[in-house]
Amino acid sequence: ALHQLYYDPNIENKNLAQKWLMQAQVSPQAWHFSWQLLDMEKVPEIQYFGASALHIKISRYWNDIPADQYESLKSQLFNQITRFASGSKIVLTRLCVALASLALSMMPEAWPCAVADMVRLFQAEDSNVDGRARCLALLELLTVLPEEFQTSRLPQYRKGQVRSVLAQECSSVFPLLEQLLRQQDSPGFIKQKVLKCFSSWVQLEIPLMECENLIQAAFASLRDPELFDTAVEAIVNAISQPDAQRYVNTLLKLIPPVLGLQEQLRQALQSGDMETSHGICRIAVALGENHSRALLDQVEHWQSFLALVNMIMFCTGIPGHYPVNETTSSLTLTFWYTLQDDILSFEAEKQAVYQQVYRPVYFQLVDVLLHKAQFPSDEEYGFWSSDEKEQFRIYRVDISDTLMYVYEMLGAELLSSLYDKLGRVLTSTEQPSSWQHTEALLYGFQSIAETIDVNYSDVVPGLIGLIPRISISNVQLADTVMFTIGALSEWLADHPVMINNVLPLVLQALGNPELSISSVSTLKKICRECKYDLPPYAANIVAVSQDVLMKQIHKTSQCMWLMQALGFLLSALQVEEILKNLHSLITPYIQQLEKLAEETPNPSNKLAIIHILGLLSNLFTTLDISHHDDDHESAEVKKLPVPQGPNPVVVVLQQVFQLIQKVLSKWLNDAQVVESVCAIFEKSVKTLLDDFAPMVPQLCEMLGQMYSTIPQASAIDLTRQLVHIFAHEPAHFPPIKALFLLVTSITLSLFQQGPRDHPDIVDSFMQLLAQALKRKPDLFLCSSLDVKAVFHCGVLSLKFPEAPTVKASCGFFTELLPRCGEIPPVGQVVHENGKLLLQAVLEGVGGQASRSLMDHFAEILFALNKHCFSYLSVWIKEVMQQEGFPSARVSPEQKDTFGQQILRERVNKRRVKEMVKEFTLLCRGLHGTEYTADY
């Protein structure tokens, strides 16, 4: 089987072999064949399998081993490790892991001084194996022991017990490690292993002062290029353990050696050695970030901590462009968050002292970050790969977030300082500054204005005045100018006289395809925030937008955003103005659509149709003259009187209705076109709410015809929307009721033909039923609604393999069951057929359905118990009596216990969810395995 696994070219044979071998590993026979596979004559792959099988048996099936065999198993493993000390490395490691697992299970009772014993046994002279090989085998064993502990499956109480035993036993390990590190004649590969071993042990939360000598020895190893990376890992792991902050004196002793690395750091930068500069920076950041609070507390040592902070500042501002010439500066950003949080968490007096020391540091940080955020020269940037450009973009976002955070420390003074610098750069006559400098300062401004309310700031008017003076020479600068204007859109809403300063720039940028995203999103923000002040500019905005739409300058998604912007803009105009603008805006598209409706369907005209329908639905998403979305007070003052007469959107929809029907008649087979048509109405209904009423009769009729010809999910979703909004409007509900009954009866007949090919329709249908029960339960009183058939469809849907469909069906039942009392037809169907529902739910819990759905099944069980208790107590007994149901892995006692637990819990839904999770793990044979740790 192993031969087949490793050497057979046929993938199916490999898979079969792997399956068989996995079963073999956990079989009782593994105890015997593992030792045979370790025979020295065999090849390492086969020996490796033997060692792995031993580890699996010891770690997962410990309880199968009789206590009187522990000692022989231990000595056999020791013998094998000694044999393999100069043999195959991978087999040696697996054997060490097996012995480590054995030791963890035996400590402390059955094997009191396990670690000391290991050290003693390997140090004993053994003429057959040379000293270095023994030393390496011991280090391997000591390295994997803490690692095996971290991943072991010991129960919680044992974990704590074993951790403290191991922490005490470090006294047997650390002196040995220190001696090996400090010995002049220890070869490099041994020192390497020693540092790895130390790294592994510090994860056990060993007191920092006990690690001090080894940390100092690791610092000495940083001078050896061969040991550098491993020494960095060891130092960072030791400093970063959460418990370390309790040992402040030791932490203070570590600052000088860290500061002592600055010379090595400078040399590395001079010679372009990125690995070394990166490693040194990691050490400085680990000490600063993990312990800034503890070190700040030592007020009398403020200067040495400030020196560390300055070293980290040097790392933040490391020369070169990220990520091409350096990758270090990004590591330092979270340090600045932590330091600021710690300073601001002190009581007033201490905080004032530290603010005095650190405000200048944070102002310097802003300069450093803005310098790092600068783009390289155009020529250099041209050589960057797309991956490097993307990393740089993300890096700038991180800088932006940091600046926004630093604002909390520096406040309005930060904006003033940025404004002053920008003013100097733009007005200086001596030396023209680079566009990169201007862009970075604006970027800093935009970072803050995007999330922080700058309405009170006295520098924003000046900034808006400066923006038109920027000579825009390239795309990156133009983008940032656009985004900065967008970030100030709320400020503009409060200072409308300034709109005219920046609006022309935005409209001009709309014509440039390279500025597509920034210009369109900025216009959308301005139209959303400032719509009541835009009527004087409306004609111009509409004209420019129409022009760029007709010239097809922008990609599809930006065209959609542009339509949303125009929807906001038009919402604030008088109705006749809206209609006039809509007419000029939409007419060209309507003419195109009329032409397309005549053509024979093909892929290219399909895309054109979907594009036009998308433009209309995006326009109608935001065109809202009743101001449903105005929630901020500033709008209250300017609210226009709500106009009488039909809504402009309804007027337009009624004009194009015939045309849309014509398009549909040709494209009914195409789900995407149908979806685009439904989207227009769905967006309009959501925005207009009651104002949509005049459209209801013709829309219901069209949906009925569509669904009768070719059922599609999007038509059901739109029906659900109508039920939701008009459920309590007796005047408009009759056509919706008729549509609901029609959709239901067509879908029921679809179920008779076999619904498996339409999981999306079933999903939407279940959601429609749930919505009807929630908003208009008396629909289920209609004589023409076959409640029993609907119930059976729901039960069928619970067995679908698609999780979203099952989730929707569960949603239907959790709405249906509480109605048993008030709607007689529902009560009758549930009482007669509820056992089938219970059966389907338990099949899912038993392993038929994805584990992610268990909470939803639990909701059904909870609802059954709450609303049909007397029936459930009978059904659950009957169903559970079936042999091997819901899974052959659970015993009759376990099934019985589960049934009783469910019946007892009628108040606490969370408890029922936990019971179902427990039971499903038992049914799947996963209870107490590694799979369940994160479940």
Side-chain angles (χ1 to χ4, degrees), residues 241-479:
Q241 47 165 330
D243 195 42
Q245 59 203 29
R246 297 188 6 227
Y247 304 95
V248 180
N249 291 333
T250 308
L251 290 172
L252 286 168
K253 284 188 210 166
L254 293 177
I255 294 182
V258 173
L259 296 175
L261 298 171
Q262 289 178 94
E263 189 43 44
Q264 195 177 348
L265 174 60
R266 285 194 186 89
Q267 287 168 0
L269 288 172
Q270 270 167 355
S271 59
D273 174 358
M274 276 164 73
E275 275 73 26
T276 299
S277 52
H278 196 78
I280 292 175
C281 173
R282 278 186 62 202
I283 293 173
V285 169
L287 183 56
E289 196 178 305
N290 288 296
H291 306 299
S292 65
R293 175 74 205 217
L295 293 167
L296 281 169
D297 266 330
Q298 307 304 305
V299 183
E300 65 280 15
H301 294 281
W302 69 274
Q303 281 163 308
S304 81
F305 183 58
L306 182 58
L308 177 67
V309 172
N310 283 325
M311 180 176 176
I312 295 174
M313 178 78 78
F314 178 78
C315 297
T316 305
I318 216 159
H321 283 290
Y322 182 95
V324 177
N325 324 103
E326 63 92 6
T327 53
T328 298
S329 56
S330 61
L331 299 181
T332 63
L333 296 179
T334 38
F335 164 72
W336 298 107
Y337 284 76
T338 310
L339 177 62
Q340 176 177 316
D341 283 348
D342 290 337
I343 291 171
L344 297 179
S345 70
F346 285 124
E347 78 283 358
E349 204 173 316
K350 199 166 179 181
Q351 189 176 336
V353 174
Y354 274 131
Q355 283 262 18
Q356 225 174 343
V357 177
Y358 282 101
R359 271 178 79 84
V361 175
Y362 272 86
F363 273 113
Q364 185 194 346
L365 173 68
V366 172
D367 290 344
V368 167
L369 289 176
L370 290 177
H371 182 72
K372 293 296 292 180
Q374 284 188 25
F375 278 89
S377 70
D378 295 337
E379 186 185 1
E380 200 184 327
Y381 194 62
F383 285 117
W384 285 19
S385 68
S386 59
D387 190 37
E388 286 166 339
K389 287 178 178 172
E390 176 58 10
Q391 280 183 318
F392 181 58
R393 186 191 68 75
I394 294 167
Y395 174 66
R396 278 174 47 107
V397 171
D398 292 341
I399 286 181
S400 167
D401 292 345
T402 312
L403 288 169
M404 186 187 83
Y405 205 75
V406 167
Y407 179 83
E408 191 188 343
M409 177 99 154
L410 301 180
E413 209 181 319
L414 172 54
L415 290 179
S416 310
S417 109
L418 289 175
Y419 172 62
D420 293 341
K421 288 185 180 129
L422 190 62
R424 281 201 296 279
V425 165
L426 292 177
T427 52
S428 150
T429 45
E430 274 89 81
Q431 66 206 74
S433 76
S434 67
W435 70 262
Q436 286 89 341
H437 195 173
T438 309
E439 190 280 333
L441 286 167
L442 264 184
Y443 183 69
F445 227 109
Q446 173 214 324
S447 305
I448 294 161
E450 241 170 3
T451 41
I452 283 158
D453 178 10
V454 292
N455 277 3
Y456 62 86
S457 167
D458 50 358
V459 300
V460 177
L463 175 68
I464 298 265
L466 283 176
I467 285 178
R469 300 185 56 162
I470 298 173
S471 67
I472 296 180
S473 49
N474 86 335
V475 173
Q476 283 93 3
L477 176 57
D479 260 339

